[in-house]
Amino acid sequence: MSFFISDALAAAPAEADPLMSFLPLILIFVVFYFLLIRPQTKRAKEHKKMVEELAKGDEVVTTGGLLGRITGIGENFVQIKVADDVEVKVQKQAVANLMPKGTSKEL
């Protein structure tokens, strides 16, 4: 009666397949890619395209929440009319959305 000591020593250690040990890590990376990385890059490409296609007269919303009409476009900045005699200059990247024409009737 050796109370499991000889049985434990006699048991051969199980050889783990290297692929099976990395499978959970690979699976987690694939899930992160399809749920986080891919949609983020798609949104970034769409935003870059929208910023490149901005034109004078477009109505936009900035990331700060300002709604206005573009009155001037520079290389890095756009000038937005937000009210009568009130124009602000913001970076092109700060434009969050392009709004449909007629969104801001009073401008």
Side-chain angles (χ1 to χ4, degrees), residues 30-86:
V30 168
V31 168
F32 270 100
Y33 176 76
F34 282 107
L35 292 179
L36 297 173
I37 298 170
R38 190 168 175 243
Q40 180 87 15
T41 56
K42 184 179 177 184
R43 266 185 262 123
K45 284 180 184 177
E46 290 172 356
H47 183 259
K48 183 178 179 182
K49 182 181 176 195
M50 186 262 310
V51 167
E52 289 173 353
E53 294 176 353
L54 288 176
K56 191 173 180 180
D58 286 344
E59 294 179 12
V60 295
V61 174
T62 66
T63 54
L66 289 175
L67 172 66
R69 184 175 294 126
I70 296 177
T71 59
I73 299 177
E75 187 175 327
N76 295 320
F77 293 92
V78 292
Q79 194 160 352
I80 301 173
K81 181 178 180 181
V82 294
D84 291 332
D85 300 325
V86 179

Side-chain angles (χ1 to χ4, degrees), residues 14 57 95:
V95 175

